[in-house]
Amino acid sequence: MSDALSRRMNPLERRATFSIASIFSTRMLGLFMIFPVFALFAEQEFSNVTGIQIGLAIGAYGLTQALLQIPYGMLSDRFGRKPLIQLGLIVFLIGSIICALAESIEMMILGRAIQGAGAVAAVLTASVSDLVREPYRLRAMSIVGITIGLSFTLSLVLGPLLAEFIGVRGIFWVIAGLALFAMLLVWLALPPITEQRFQREAEAIPSQLLQVVKNTQLLRLDVGVFILHAILTAMFVAIPFILRDEGGMDSMSHWEIYLPVMLLSFVLMVPLIIQAESCGRMKMVFVGAIAMIAITQLGFAVYQQSLFLLFILLLLFFTAFNVLEASLPSLVVKLSPADKKGTASGVYSSSQFMGAAIGGAVGGFFFQFYGYNGLFLFTMTLALIWVALAATMQKPMPWSIASVAVGPVLASEVAELEHKLCAYEGVFEAVVIADEQQAYFKIDRKLVDETALLEYFKQVREK
């Protein structure tokens, strides 16, 4: 294979990457298309509905997703990735149909919880590791991440547009159709996984959970993503009412606000991400984005009467939100121990979904009893707590996590090998797992790559 070809993913890896990205995106659309339209729908459709019930219905998917995603990953190790993905999509389909047919807010909450119970995110991530060679996994996951971000943006625009033509119940039928489409992708597009194995970089290890939770740097990120998604979910209990009642917008035209907001927020996000990742200003940009979240929440709390101001506040919020959504997973990798990336990512994802669940319920409570102002003062307080936590985190270094297969290693060799590997320029941590015949590294990719590491490992062994 030529050098040019060796630097590219092969056709099977590209097929795997884009099929998994597509499956992820269908689920994201299904979970988030109702965010901008559900509160108004629930008020009109269900009698005596409360703010708490609206918040529970919006965020209920997060609770079951948080509780079940790690068990799904563990079951997929035993029964296979594709069967568990299909099972999760069937559960998601059932939940979507229940929501479409729901005659009460309680049934709607149940349906949303069942949607979240199709928690296949960890299984899909492990499938990337099964099907894509290690040097290209970061690229593959970047493609998946970009697709997820675009799907979230599209969902906020599509929700109001579809509601105008087919209603919110129609949206749930569309979501059910997306679940069927995703099942077809698993069957027809996702390549067979012929060499499935446990992926320490993509899957959680129960025995590591306590160590990861006790890591104060990672805990800051877990609390942070919890707060971010709690704020997001709580906001959508109130924002549709504010746009209608204070902004004077018909509920079916809310997409006219969300479309320019989301497009402009992506444009504004790009230079901030470049400053963070390429110019070594990650912490400054990160803390600044959190502070901007707090400022926007204060803005929503004190002034809602101007549609132009609402537009500016939403634009600033989603610019900061997109920066944080892009930065947080990167920070998890930078701050995670080399052999605990999968567990750290699992705890992080569970925190994210739990934040959505708690944010919906508690945000609904504040909205019900204290109105717009009370809800946004609550979310502002959450953001200020996060500012304090983020300001005290250590400065992130530009490190990545890599792994190489090293063949049989004696347990007695491990400590000395790790010491020698850390002496290599660009390697800052090395963990050799003898049972897995695998070495895990924290590296600076500008100085070293997996091929060089493997060659150096061979040299060390020969000496």
Side-chain angles (χ1 to χ4, degrees), residues 131-318:
L131 292 167
V132 179
R133 289 168 293 168
E134 206 282 336
Y136 308 104
R137 287 175 195 162
L138 181 62
R139 187 183 310 172
M141 286 309 303
S142 296
I143 292 170
V144 170
I146 291 169
T147 305
I148 290 173
L150 291 174
S151 298
F152 173 74
T153 299
L154 186 61
S155 69
L156 296 186
V157 177
L158 275 181
L161 274 174
L162 289 174
E164 182 174 358
F165 295 104
I166 61 176
V168 174
R169 291 190 185 277
I171 292 177
F172 282 114
W173 286 116
V174 169
I175 293 169
L178 288 172
L180 288 172
F181 176 68
M183 292 166 67
L184 284 175
L185 287 174
V186 177
W187 182 32
L188 299 175
L190 186 63
I193 301 174
T194 56
E195 296 183 8
Q196 177 182 312
R197 63 184 179 85
F198 175 78
Q199 301 288 350
R200 183 179 288 264
E201 292 171 274
E203 298 180 68
I205 301 174
S207 61
Q208 293 182 343
L209 287 173
L210 184 59
Q211 296 169 279
V212 167
V213 171
K214 290 170 65 176
N215 184 314
T216 57
Q217 297 302 319
L218 290 174
L219 188 60
R220 283 174 169 81
L221 303 180
D222 298 333
V223 173
V225 77
F226 175 96
I227 289 174
L228 182 63
H229 283 263
I231 291 173
L232 176 71
T233 311
M235 280 179 59
F236 277 101
V237 175
I239 289 295
F241 291 115
I242 293 174
L243 290 176
R244 185 193 66 182
D245 300 337
E246 307 296 338
M249 294 189 70
D250 178 81
S251 60
M252 300 309 176
S253 61
H254 288 185
W255 68 270
E256 296 173 9
I257 282 282
Y258 293 122
L259 179 59
V261 160
M262 299 310 293
L263 291 177
L264 285 172
S265 68
F266 268 100
V267 172
L268 294 174
M269 173 192 74
V270 172
L272 294 173
I273 292 296
I274 292 173
Q275 286 291 313
E277 293 284 358
S278 302
C279 301
R281 295 170 179 161
M282 173 63 81
K283 184 174 179 179
M284 181 180 71
V285 171
F286 185 72
V287 176
I290 303 168
M292 183 56 67
I293 294 281
I295 291 168
T296 61
Q297 301 311 293
L298 177 60
F300 285 124
V302 300
Y303 196 75
Q304 299 117 16
Q305 287 73 32
S306 165
L307 185 59
F308 176 73
L309 182 58
L310 288 173
F311 175 86
I312 295 299
L313 289 172
L314 285 170
L315 176 60
L316 293 174
F317 171 81
F318 279 108

Side-chain angles (χ1 to χ4, degrees), residues 217 276-283 327 329-336 393-401 426 428 442-447:
Q217 297 302 319
E277 293 284 358
S278 302
C279 301
R281 295 170 179 161
M282 173 63 81
K283 184 174 179 179
S327 302
S330 173
L331 286 170
V332 171
V333 174
K334 289 176 170 64
L335 297 175
S336 171
M393 76 177 187
Q394 69 184 40
K395 182 180 178 181
M397 302 303 293
W399 295 340
S400 300
I401 290 177
F428 301 93
K442 184 164 282 189
I443 62 172
D444 184 340
R445 289 187 180 273
K446 294 179 181 179
L447 301 175

Side-chain angles (χ1 to χ4, degrees), residues 368-391:
Q368 180 176 332
F369 292 103
Y370 302 103
Y372 302 140
N373 294 31
L375 184 151
F376 288 113
L377 289 174
F378 160 67
T379 54
M380 183 191 71
T381 302
L382 289 180
L384 290 174
I385 291 170
W386 190 12
V387 169
L389 290 172

Side-chain angles (χ1 to χ4, degrees), residues 31-53:
L31 290 171
F32 289 107
M33 270 199 293
I34 70 147
F35 266 50
V37 295
F38 183 79
L40 297 177
F41 163 79
E43 180 194 49
Q44 297 164 4
E45 189 75 12
F46 306 119
S47 59
N48 300 316
V49 70
T50 67
I52 294 174
Q53 289 173 325

Side-chain angles (χ1 to χ4, degrees), residues 41-92:
F41 163 79
E43 180 194 49
Q44 297 164 4
E45 189 75 12
F46 306 119
S47 59
N48 300 316
V49 70
T50 67
I52 294 174
Q53 289 173 325
I54 291 172
L56 283 171
I58 294 174
Y61 78 93
L63 177 62
T64 47
Q65 182 93 10
L67 294 176
L68 293 176
Q69 67 158 349
I70 291 177
Y72 263 84
M74 295 170 65
L75 287 171
S76 75
D77 289 331
R78 180 174 180 182
F79 298 107
R81 309 284 190 230
K82 295 181 80 168
L84 262 292
I85 295 171
Q86 293 286 30
L87 174 62
L89 291 172
I90 290 169
V91 172
F92 182 68

